[in-house]
Amino acid sequence: MGAVIPIYLETGSARVFAGALDWPGWCRSGRTDTAAIDTLLGYRERYAAAIGGRGGALTGDGSYGVEVVERLTGGAGTDFGAPGEIPEADASAIDAAERTRLLAILQGCWRTFDAHVEAARGVDLRLGPRGGGRDLDKIRGHVLEAEQAYLAKLGSRPPKGDGGAAHLAKHRKAVRAAFTARAGDRPPPEPNLVRVLWSPRYFARRAAWHVLDHAWEIEDRVTPE
């Protein structure tokens, strides 16, 4: 028998997101509660593989269930396709062990995204529901741009650069530093003027979801139908 996964549901008028509270990035959507939960569970092994060793608790042949512990009212962003409401659990404190775990999960998401980007070099991404019109470089640029905005919501100014490999490495170093500072109740480095900040837990949840969503988009678009 597998574990029971605590989840939250974010419900808009046309779309529902189901997110695993303890596993940032494991968040999928559907038209109904049941469809969202079924999709979430359908991605269990894919998510576990994406985050590497930290996903070991989610592997195995047992049946997995969920417990809905929080319901959130979504809005236009939910229906557009992005979870945007903050679970109450994301306000909880983060100790050293949990900080290490969350950063390892985010690092695993980055690693998976980078691997799918490299695997898709020189490949024509097929269009369709999982594709839209972005090419590979535009997807990569979009993910970095979004994560820079997320870093600002942690309270740090994003490093400037041209979007190349050196800039990406600098950005991710800044993310780790800001996350570590905020998780330890310290001011983030390179502070900005943003007044309403995200909690570190919610930053990890939103950033991991966005990185994995586009990693899986790339993977799906290079896989023949």
Side-chain angles (χ1 to χ4, degrees), residues 51-156:
I51 65 172
R54 295 284 170 171
L58 300 174
T59 59
D61 297 330
S63 60
Y64 284 70
V66 302
E67 178 185 5
V68 179
V69 299
E70 190 169 352
R71 291 181 177 270
L72 305 171
T73 300
T78 312
D79 292 329
F80 179 74
E85 303 304 316
I86 302 176
E88 290 183 6
D90 285 356
S92 59
I94 299 175
D95 61 20
E98 179 69 350
R99 182 182 68 228
T100 298
R101 187 183 78 92
L102 293 175
L103 280 175
I105 289 173
L106 184 56
Q107 187 69 45
C109 295
W110 284 335
R111 185 171 54 248
T112 295
F113 178 79
D114 293 346
H116 287 318
V117 167
E118 289 307 309
R121 293 289 184 195
V123 177
D124 290 330
L125 301 184
R126 61 180 173 83
L127 302 179
R130 288 293 294 144
R134 289 193 183 106
D135 63 21
L136 187 64
D137 287 338
K138 287 182 179 178
I139 294 171
R140 185 179 177 279
H142 166 70
V143 169
L144 175 57
E145 182 179 4
E147 203 166 275
Q148 288 177 310
Y150 300 164
L151 176 56
K153 293 294 285 184
L154 265 183
S156 282

Side-chain angles (χ1 to χ4, degrees), residues 99 154-156 176-189 191 197 200:
R99 182 182 68 228
L154 265 183
S156 282
R176 291 189 292 268
F179 182 89
T180 299
R182 287 287 313 284
D185 290 325
R186 300 189 305 276
L197 300 178

